């Protein structure tokens, strides 16, 4: 390792990946980046050699050692049996935060939103992306949405710390907690709790549907937006696209065990090998990497040279527009144009300034763990695979009650269908029988649930899963079914 160099792991990826990675690395080096590069192979060829996550076991050694991964896009093979490389790397390195700055470059890149500078901070490890899915019945597939309080605390604190460090004025939170009161509810609650610790930063919350509509309509009203995984995945692509092009946005994935930097776009196989692709997204991912490893001065030189190139009208095909562009160039020529401008600052765009950046530290899950709540088992939901209609099935389930547990509701897709219900409700082949303690406020035991399951077995009911219904410090830890 040359003196002062930072070791990083680089993967050239598939499709346009190798071209844009070569171009980006050339620019970073020309600007003085001090890097010791270790190259690993990932992607299609590795998948095809039988590694289901698209990465060789030996590559992990480099990643765990350098803890900095600069990654070009890969092609994910179609069909079952392949795991997402991104999800595997995120989980293995604990990359809990995905940061995607989406900036418009008006008037040099066509956009409907000339004033846009939004940073999406997406939670990266939880939500529906835990990938826990089951087929429960003939008709029903289930995907579990898991959101943890420490997970929310980490990402929300990261968003506020990011805002503070980058002189941002406002942090907005998007959730759907009017419907998902516990999962999205905890995200919103944690946001409100942490926001008060940052009195100099404006905070606001929007329900994600109207929030997304406002972001797409008037992005200039947003600054940093923090959200759970799924909303962040979708809306960061929307934000990048309306800013001008998905080809221009870079992204960082930050975690306790390491960090990964990339473009937000994919491997664009149809453009591969033709010296056409725009390396800007990956280059800006590289800029974020330089800031992360403490080479903010180099990041500044690269970013400003790149802005100067854009405003000089030197454009790749994807953003070329006769009315503003001066020269249509290929990947290599674009890289040379940026290199020729290293040391220059843009005159139309505001030059960027990174100064001495510090990587943002947030507490670990273990540090965030709170004392256990007082937990009382108050009942159980029995999930049943059954095709009968509610009038037929209801009495059968009702008859399972024992000395301690009674049927409170039988519901179908979250709507009560027994003992009261609307005959118009259409039902599918999965029901939930909710059994609660017969004596209000008195907890039941696990043995009561075992006995209930034995009775269900005797009644030839197909129980596909159970969920315990608990109070935590006296507060119900479960939702009510509609009509309950
Ligand atoms: P894509 O992002 O590769 O391409 C979408 C469109 O944008 C295409 O028209 C493409 O030509 C254009 N485009 C993208 N990047 C460009 C660039 N740098 N310069 C110029 N034009 C660019 O999305 P896709 O076609 O849906 O996916 C292709 C492959 O990439 C798939 O196998 C997908 O799984 C994979 N993918 C990988 C990643 C990743 O590795 N992080 C992310 C997304 C998609």
């Amino acid at each position: 390792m040359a003196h002062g160099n930072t070791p990083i792991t680089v993967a050239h990826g598939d499709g346009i990946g190798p071209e844009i990675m070569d171009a980006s690395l050339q620019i970073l080096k020309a600007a003085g980046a001090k890097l010791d590069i270790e190259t690993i192979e990932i992607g299609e060829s590795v998948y095809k050699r039988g590694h289901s996550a698209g990465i060789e076991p030996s590559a992990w050694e480099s990643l765990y050692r350098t803890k900095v991964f600069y990654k070009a896009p890969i092609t994910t093979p179609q069909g079952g049996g392949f795991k997402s490389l991104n999800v595997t790397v995120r989980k293995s390195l604990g990359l809990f935060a995905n940061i995607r700055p989406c900036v418009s470059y008006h008037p040099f890149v066509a956009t409907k939103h000339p004033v846009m500078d939004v940073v999406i901070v997406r939670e990266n490890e939880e939500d529906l992306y835990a990938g826990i899915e089951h087929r429960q019945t003939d008709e029903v597939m289930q995907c579990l949405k898991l959101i943890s309080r420490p997970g929310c605390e980490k990402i929300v604190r990261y968003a506020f710390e990011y805002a503070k460090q980058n002189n941002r004025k406002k942090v907005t939170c998007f959730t759907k907690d009017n419907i998902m009161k516990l999962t999205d509810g905890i995200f919103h609650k944690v946001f409100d709790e942490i926001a008060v610790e940052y009195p100099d930063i404006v905070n606001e919350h929007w329900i994600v549907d109207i929030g997304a509509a406002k972001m797409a309509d008037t992005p200039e009203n947003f600054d940093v937006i923090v959200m759970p995984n799924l909303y962040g995945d979708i809306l960061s692509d929307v934000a990048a696209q309306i800013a001008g092009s998905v080809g221009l946005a870079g992204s960082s994935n930050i975690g306790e065990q390491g960090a990964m930097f990339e473009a937000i776009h994919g491997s664009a196989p149809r453009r591969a090998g033709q010296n056409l692709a725009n390396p800007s997204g990956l280059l800006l991912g590289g800029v974020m990497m330089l800031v992360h490893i403490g080479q903010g001065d180099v990041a500044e030189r690269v970013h400003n040279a790149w802005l100067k190139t854009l405003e000089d009208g030197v454009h790749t095909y994807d953003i070329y527009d006769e009315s503003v562009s001066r020269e249509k160039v290929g990947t290599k020529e674009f890289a040379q144009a940026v290199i020729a401008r290293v040391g220059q600052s843009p005159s139309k765009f505001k030059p960027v300034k990174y100064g001495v950046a510090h990587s943002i530290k947030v507490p670990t899950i273990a540090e965030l763990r709170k004392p256990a709540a007082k937990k009382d088992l108050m009942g159980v939901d029995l999930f049943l695979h059954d095709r009968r209609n509610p009038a037929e099935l209801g009495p059968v389930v009702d008859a399972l009650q024992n000395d301690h547990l009674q049927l409170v509701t039988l519901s179908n897709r979250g709507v009560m269908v027994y003992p009261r219900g609307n005959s118009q409700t259409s039902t599918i082949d999965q029901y939930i029988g909710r059994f609660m303690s017969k004596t209000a406020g008195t907890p039941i035991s696990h043995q009561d649930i075992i006995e209930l399951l034995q009775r269900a077995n005797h009644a030839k009911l197909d129980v596909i899963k159970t969920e315990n219904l608990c109070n935590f410090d006296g507060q119900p830890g479960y939702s009510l079914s509609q009509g309950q």
Side-chain angles (χ1 to χ4, degrees):
M1 177 164 81
H3 182 65
N5 281 8
T6 305
I8 65 166
T9 304
V10 168
H12 289 253
D14 300 313
I16 58 171
E19 296 162 75
I20 59 174
M21 182 54 88
D22 283 346
S24 299
L25 287 175
Q26 272 181 32
I27 298 168
L28 300 189
K29 284 180 194 161
K34 292 187 184 148
L35 304 171
D36 269 336
I37 292 171
E38 298 182 12
T39 304
I40 61 167
E41 200 190 340
I42 56 165
E44 208 173 13
S45 56
V46 185
Y47 278 113
K48 288 187 173 156
R49 285 206 295 276
H51 299 285
S52 65
I55 179 163
E56 297 266 8
S58 56
W60 288 107
E61 193 276 319
S62 173
L63 285 175
Y64 285 133
R65 187 161 30 75
T66 68
K67 300 184 183 343
V68 181
F69 189 15
Y70 191 29
K71 175 184 157 290
I74 61 154
T75 302
T76 315
Q78 298 286 313
F82 300 111
K83 285 193 277 184
S84 159
L85 172 73
N86 267 2
V87 173
T88 306
V89 173
R90 267 181 222 150
K91 287 197 176 153
S92 304
L93 298 180
L95 307 179
F96 66 91
N98 182 208
I99 318 302
R100 293 181 167 192
C102 302
V103 183
S104 60
Y105 301 98
H106 175 80
F108 301 99
V109 179
T111 170
K112 296 190 186 94
H113 302 288
V115 185
M116 175 170 178
D117 185 357
V118 174
V119 179
I120 307 271
V121 178
R122 163 191 172 194
E123 198 290 320
N124 225 7
E125 291 183 295
E126 303 194 339
D127 197 355
L128 292 152
Y129 287 61
I132 306 169
E133 292 196 291
H134 297 95
R135 178 169 178 176
Q136 294 191 315
T137 70
D138 292 318
E139 294 168 352
V140 174
M141 315 293 154
Q142 172 191 262
C143 179
L144 282 185
K145 173 164 166 133
L146 296 180
I147 302 229
S148 73
R149 177 178 254 277
C152 296
E153 289 184 19
K154 283 174 70 174
I155 193 68
V156 170
R157 188 163 298 282
Y158 190 94
F160 278 98
E161 284 295 317
Y162 179 96
K164 198 167 128 186
Q165 187 174 104
N166 292 280
N167 203 21
R168 298 270 173 168
K169 306 293 178 230
K170 181 161 84 169
V171 180
T172 304
C173 175
F174 285 176
T175 71
K176 188 79 183 170
D177 66 336
N178 54 333
I179 303 295
M180 285 160 280
K181 297 184 196 305
L182 291 180
T183 48
D184 282 23
I186 188 69
F187 198 98
H188 186 175
K189 189 167 189 290
V190 164
F191 178 79
D192 286 347
E193 285 170 11
I194 290 180
V196 296
E197 294 179 35
Y198 296 85
D200 298 337
I201 299 172
V202 177
N203 70 81
E204 63 177 11
H205 172 270
W206 290 102
I207 298 294
V208 61
D209 36 15
I210 186 62
K214 283 179 179 289
M215 184 198 76
D217 187 48
T218 46
E220 62 275 17
N221 292 340
F222 292 91
D223 195 344
V224 174
I225 314 180
V226 63
M227 44 192 139
N229 207 337
L230 177 65
Y231 314 140
D233 190 6
I234 297 168
L235 293 183
S236 56
D237 269 29
V238 173
Q241 185 64 31
I242 64 169
S245 165
V246 283
L248 293 179
S251 120
S252 65
N253 295 268
I254 305 290
E256 285 154 27
Q257 307 303 325
M260 176 169 84
F261 302 88
E262 57 184 346
I264 75 158
H265 59 74
S267 60
R270 283 191 307 126
R271 309 287 178 198
Q274 298 159 61
N275 191 36
L276 278 174
N278 188 345
S280 299
L282 189 60
L283 182 68
L284 292 184
V287 167
M288 296 169 94
M289 175 179 73
L290 291 174
V291 173
H292 176 80
I293 61 177
Q295 299 186 24
D297 51 340
V298 189
E300 209 169 284
R301 276 200 293 279
V302 173
H303 204 153
N304 284 327
W306 177 78
L307 286 170
K308 178 89 174 95
T309 311
L310 271 199
E311 68 176 31
D312 284 350
V314 183
H315 294 164
T316 43
Y317 85 92
D318 55 316
I319 55 168
Y320 183 85
D321 176 346
E322 270 178 5
S323 60
V324 285
S325 305
R326 234 191 48 221
E327 209 183 326
K328 191 194 261 182
V329 291
T331 315
K332 288 181 185 156
E333 295 72 27
F334 184 81
Q336 289 312 314
V338 178
I339 289 169
R341 288 166 178 78
V342 167
Q344 297 181 30
S345 283
S347 53
K348 316 273 189 329
F349 293 127
K350 191 164 168 253
V352 293
K353 204 142 185 53
Y354 288 110
V356 185
H358 304 281
S359 60
I360 296 169
K361 287 262 178 291
V362 299
T364 62
I365 297 267
E367 288 162 349
L368 287 165
R369 186 152 288 146
K370 293 189 168 39
K374 180 174 178 300
K375 183 174 161 188
D376 295 311
L377 183 59
M378 305 309 292
V380 65
D381 277 344
L382 289 196
F383 286 63
L384 303 166
H385 179 182
D386 209 294
R387 294 189 165 206
R388 281 173 278 187
N389 65 42
E392 278 177 277
L393 180 63
V396 179
V397 181
D398 207 4
L400 299 180
Q401 65 174 312
N402 58 20
D403 290 347
H404 297 134
L405 282 168
Q406 63 183 356
L407 181 72
V408 183
T409 58
L410 186 69
S411 62
N412 194 291
R413 286 194 285 187
V415 178
M416 193 205 305
V417 291
Y418 182 91
R420 294 184 309 282
N422 181 342
S423 57
Q424 305 298 315
T425 304
S426 58
T427 55
I428 42 106
D429 67 355
Q430 186 228 50
Y431 286 86
I432 300 175
R434 171 159 292 185
F435 289 83
M436 300 292 295
S437 175
K438 259 189 176 162
T439 321
T442 305
I444 58 155
S445 69
H446 286 91
Q447 188 59 35
D448 292 326
I449 297 177
I450 292 168
E451 283 168 18
L452 185 72
L453 285 170
Q454 281 168 340
R455 293 165 78 95
N457 193 35
H458 285 138
K460 300 207 171 345
L461 286 167
D462 183 3
V463 179
I464 47 177
K465 102 171 185 173
T466 64
E467 285 282 356
N468 291 352
L469 305 172
C470 296
N471 285 352
F472 289 82
D473 289 336
Q475 293 300 313
Y478 47 89
S479 57
L480 299 182
S481 55
Q482 278 161 21
Q484 187 179 345

